[in-house]
Amino acid sequence: RREQARLKASVVEEDTEEWQKDAHFTGLERVGGVDLSYIKGDDSRACASLVVLSYPALEVLYQDCRMVAVGAPYVAGFLAFREVPVLVEAVQRLQQEEPQLRPQVLLVDGNGLLHPRGFGTACHLGVLTDLPCIGVAKNLLQVDGLVRDELHREQIRSLQRSGETFPLTGTSGKVLGMVSCHFNNNSSKPLYISVGHRVSLGTAVRLVRACCRFRIPEPIRQ
């Protein structure tokens, strides 16, 4: 908890790059995606993936997928301590091998500020790499009074047009993220988008939508 609190103090919840402030993201050329996938029945080994896509074409420029040993045990609320070290190593390998392909932003399969202590994997990775990061989760993390109840499901059903959103406001009054639905790809399942580091929530939502050919944004899907 102390380490989380120390690192959280460095999180920047605002846009820091010029391309983020442009309606068409002019100047954005490389978008990265990271994920850790576990072998069924074996939580000690996983496939760590880092992919970099061109923007706006969303064509693969770089990919690094390798099996890794995961040493730290899983503890709820502290998943980043288990996963982020191998993702940081992947970013460092990219920096050494293909520095010209360093992503300008990372989409993380996980949460950012939408976390029990406001410091999920996307925040943790962002602070350690100093890259803008966005959390993109497929399921709602039930924190700060947020619950996946019938009211929540009704709100999702009410999102009629492609890419509509509604805020995830906790009982604390803080907006922890946004729910986004993309009905243009025949999926009514939502995404839960949250700030990781060096990006505003509005920019995060716009960029995730711009990267979606299907339900999952292309950098993470790849």
Side-chain angles (χ1 to χ4, degrees), residues 3 8 20 27 32 40 51 61 63 65 74 80 99 104 108 115 136 138 175 192-193 198 200 203 216 220:
E3 180 69 358
K8 183 185 175 185
Q20 294 168 329
K40 194 169 289 186
V51 178
L61 302 174
Q63 52 189 342
C65 303
Y74 170 72
Q104 293 162 276
V108 180
H115 177 270
V136 185
K138 297 181 282 290
V175 176
Y192 298 91
I193 302 167
R198 293 179 58 190
S200 68
T203 297
I216 305 300
I220 293 176

Side-chain angles (χ1 to χ4, degrees), residues 59-104:
E59 296 174 345
V60 176
L61 302 174
Y62 174 93
Q63 52 189 342
D64 178 354
C65 303
R66 60 183 67 197
M67 297 304 300
V68 296
V70 182
Y74 170 72
V75 180
F78 298 95
L79 179 66
F81 288 95
R82 180 174 166 81
E83 299 191 343
V84 165
V86 294
L87 298 176
V88 169
E89 287 176 5
V91 173
Q92 290 172 339
R93 277 195 302 274
L94 166 58
Q95 182 66 34
Q96 292 165 0
E97 297 168 7
E98 302 276 1
Q100 76 280 7
L101 296 180
R102 179 178 169 88
Q104 293 162 276

Side-chain angles (χ1 to χ4, degrees), residues 140 142 145-155:
L140 174 65
Q142 302 188 63
L146 297 173
V147 289
R148 195 173 181 273
D149 56 8
E150 184 54 37
L151 174 60
H152 182 77
R153 287 188 283 268
E154 180 55 40
Q155 286 177 306

Side-chain angles (χ1 to χ4, degrees), residues 1-16:
R1 287 174 180 265
R2 284 194 299 271
E3 180 69 358
Q4 272 187 339
R6 183 184 72 81
L7 293 171
K8 183 185 175 185
S10 298
V11 170
V12 176
E13 300 179 36
E14 303 165 356
D15 293 329
T16 61

Side-chain angles (χ1 to χ4, degrees), residues 123-141:
C123 297
H124 205 130
L125 184 61
V127 169
L128 292 185
T129 61
D130 198 32
L131 284 170
C133 282
I134 298 169
V136 185
K138 297 181 282 290
N139 298 297
L140 174 65
L141 188 61

